[in-house]
Amino acid sequence: MSELATFWTERHLCTVTTVRRDGTLHTVPVGATYDPETGIARIITSGRSQKVRNVEHNARISICQVDGRRWSTLEGEAVISRSPQDVLDAEQRYARRYKQPRENPERVVIVVTVTRVLGTYRPDRLR
């Protein structure tokens, strides 16, 4: 497993930044998972959250995690999935990284196609 992949399996909280309708940024703490092999990141959340509303009108998104001097930011394009299969898959990934999420019948998953990786463990820096 690469250092980048390992860093994204360790338990670290993240922040997610989305763009509000007025163009200002909205940044909140989240738990996120990332699969470097597929280039897909996932965030589980309530379907009524501000971040979901933001993604529905502007797909640009950034997910960042920091641990001392180590950090990684994933940038990409997001879509909201309400598919029970996608939500279950994201919940299982979340449970492996963090803990079993609480029940939430309004849960959706923000699915991010990562287009850029920044930080300590950028793919172009990996050996």
Side-chain angles (χ1 to χ4, degrees):
M1 182 179 295
S2 73
E3 291 178 345
L4 176 68
T6 298
F7 190 53
W8 278 96
T9 59
E10 297 169 356
R11 190 182 191 285
H12 301 292
L13 290 180
C14 304
T15 57
V16 64
T17 301
T18 55
V19 182
R20 293 184 185 101
R21 286 191 184 275
D22 66 3
T24 60
L25 300 178
H26 176 255
T27 303
V28 293
V30 295
T33 62
Y34 176 52
D35 181 351
E37 289 185 22
T38 63
I40 301 295
R42 294 168 180 83
I43 299 168
I44 57 174
T45 188
S46 174
R48 291 194 266 172
S49 72
Q50 182 64 50
K51 56 190 161 293
V52 167
R53 291 193 302 271
N54 293 346
V55 165
E56 288 176 333
H57 86 275
N58 187 328
R60 293 172 59 198
I61 194 166
S62 162
I63 306 166
C64 181
Q65 68 178 13
V66 177
D67 180 43
R69 292 183 180 194
R70 300 182 310 152
W71 65 278
S72 180
T73 298
L74 308 174
E75 296 179 352
E77 301 285 322
V79 296
I80 306 303
S81 176
R82 292 173 170 78
S83 156
Q85 291 172 316
D86 289 348
V87 171
L88 178 60
D89 176 60
E91 289 171 336
Q92 291 170 343
R93 291 170 186 271
Y94 180 96
R96 284 192 296 270
R97 184 168 192 201
Y98 299 103
K99 64 178 185 176
Q100 185 64 41
R102 64 178 170 72
E103 289 291 319
N104 180 351
E106 296 182 13
R107 181 166 288 135
V108 299
V109 58
I110 300 173
V111 180
V112 180
T113 301
V114 176
T115 57
R116 177 190 270 173
V117 177
L118 304 168
T120 309
Y121 302 120
R122 289 193 337 232
D124 62 335
R125 288 188 180 169
L126 299 178
R127 295 184 170 94

